[in-house]
Amino acid sequence: MAEKRLKILVAKLGLDSHWRGAMVVTRALRDAGMEVIYLGNQFPDAIVRTALQEDVDVIGLSSLSGNHLVLAPRVVQELERSGARRMPVILGGAVPKRDSKALTKAGVKAVFGPGTPLEDIVSYVRSLV
């Protein structure tokens, strides 16, 4: 029996104009054999709506504009409201270490900062499912 191919949704939070990090991670996940849906810039309601429609295994968020303390927890809250809390949410980007604790307390499973090896992200995503 073939192993299920992991399905990941990647989105940039809000109006974040930075794209390179999200694209590099998206490519690494795809190259590791995962199906990746890249949404670009989106707000929490659209991210969760798409994640539910696509029945993804993991939601990956990118933030480089400082909106992570507001928008990432809203994604988790929207998932809870929809009854789909089983979908883990991870976050990458320019997130100060001091913000990581608040994000994990709000339900974000992991925060990956600049310079995180791509293999670490791929391995972590696999461990979630």
Side-chain angles (χ1 to χ4, degrees):
M1 182 187 211
E3 185 178 319
K4 180 186 181 272
R5 188 172 177 200
L6 297 180
K7 195 175 199 182
I8 316 302
L9 180 140
V10 175
K12 297 187 310 173
L13 284 171
L15 300 175
D16 194 321
S17 63
H18 300 88
W19 57 270
R20 188 178 309 264
M23 294 307 299
V24 168
V25 171
T26 295
R27 177 168 272 187
L29 295 169
R30 185 206 61 199
D31 290 351
M34 299 178 201
E35 180 179 350
V36 181
I37 299 165
Y38 178 72
L39 288 183
N41 294 80
Q42 295 294 332
F43 285 93
D45 59 333
I47 293 168
V48 171
R49 188 171 48 252
T50 303
L52 293 171
Q53 289 171 350
E54 295 291 337
D55 192 28
V56 301
D57 298 302
V58 178
I59 297 173
L61 304 173
S62 174
S63 177
L64 289 164
S65 63
N67 61 13
H68 53 274
L69 284 175
V70 174
L71 296 180
R74 284 194 192 154
V75 171
V76 174
Q77 292 164 358
E78 289 290 326
L79 283 170
E80 289 171 351
R81 271 190 278 255
S82 70
R85 186 58 191 107
R86 67 166 180 76
M87 284 181 200
V89 175
I90 61 174
L91 174 69
V95 177
K97 286 198 182 281
R98 68 181 179 272
D99 293 349
S100 293
K101 187 173 183 177
L103 289 162
T104 55
K105 187 174 181 178
V108 174
K109 294 291 182 190
V111 178
F112 299 99
T116 300
L118 293 172
E119 303 81 33
D120 290 358
I121 298 170
V122 168
S123 177
Y124 186 80
V125 168
R126 283 190 173 126
S127 78
L128 288 173
V129 183

